[in-house]
Amino acid sequence: MEIEPIDRTSLLDLLAYCDREYEEEGMEELVDKLIEEEKKKQPFEMGKYLEQIPDYQTTLLDNRGLLNQEFERISSGKPLNSFNANKYVVSKPKDKSLKDPKQWQKSLKRLELSAALQLQRNENLTLMSKFSSNSWLDYNRGLNAYSNNIRKRTQQIEEQTLDLNRARKFEQEQITNKLKRFKSRWYETVDRNLKTERACKNLEKEIEELEKKNLKK
């Protein structure tokens, strides 16, 4: 059975409370140099990096005339058209239109529309005076409850984050002590190995000299 290699690109070798390499002399300059090299691979001007990205093509607005018109208005920076109240203005035909039945029908329709609008306004005012205060109170109570829940949840997350950071710090400080002991033992082992290797070479030289003396005898 073949063992698949581990993808180490997804692993983080980081001990935030232990690593002190960035504090070493010259390390900050090295990091800045690497950042500049990476920026040269993907050159862009500050504030213009979005221009390198092609326009997003979508069919969302196809066959939607009103939406297209509104997006074009916003893109060109034009203000929103003001409310046109002319259709609610009631006036009788004038001059030559006095004898035109069609003009009287238009005036009559405007009058009916204006009366319906006034009736709707009166109904809305009546409903607002009767129910608006209670509705706002219920709405505010809902907002307060939602705000309190968010505040409690935020406090819980902050406490969990603090506990997690404390646990990480404690664990890494324990690991730091172990790493220091292992590092010290490694240096001691290397030093002993070097001394042993030096002693072996000295013994080899002594053996060679003794063998040469024995051959001369």
Side-chain angles (χ1 to χ4, degrees), residues 2 18 42 52 55 59 65 67 80 90 113 119 123 127 144-145 149 153 163 171 179-180 186 192-193 196:
E2 187 177 354
C18 302
Q42 299 290 336
Q52 302 179 6
D55 292 337
T59 59
L67 280 177
L80 183 66
V90 179
L113 182 62
L119 179 62
E123 291 177 352
L127 292 172
N144 288 332
N149 290 334
R153 181 57 181 160
D163 293 340
E171 182 182 2
L179 290 175
K180 288 181 179 179
W186 183 82
R192 284 198 301 269
N193 290 339
T196 303

Side-chain angles (χ1 to χ4, degrees), residues 185-196 198:
R185 289 172 58 183
W186 183 82
Y187 280 122
E188 291 174 359
T189 303
V190 170
D191 184 61
R192 284 198 301 269
N193 290 339
L194 290 174
K195 290 180 180 179
T196 303
R198 194 179 301 114

Side-chain angles (χ1 to χ4, degrees), residues 140-183:
N140 288 334
R141 280 193 290 267
L143 286 180
N144 288 332
Y146 180 75
S147 176
N148 291 333
N149 290 334
I150 292 296
R151 191 179 297 108
K152 290 179 181 178
R153 181 57 181 160
T154 302
Q155 186 177 359
Q156 290 176 356
I157 293 175
E158 290 176 351
E159 291 176 355
Q160 292 174 359
T161 303
L162 185 60
D163 293 340
L164 178 61
N165 287 333
R166 285 173 178 169
R168 288 178 64 242
K169 183 177 181 181
F170 176 78
E171 182 182 2
Q172 291 187 20
E173 286 177 347
Q174 297 296 109
I175 293 174
T176 302
N177 295 330
K178 289 183 180 180
L179 290 175
K180 288 181 179 179
R181 289 198 300 270
F182 291 152
K183 188 175 182 179

Side-chain angles (χ1 to χ4, degrees), residues 9 16 86-88 96 125 193 208:
T9 58
N86 292 329
K87 60 181 180 180
Y88 300 109
K96 296 181 181 180
L125 289 172
N193 290 339
E208 288 178 0

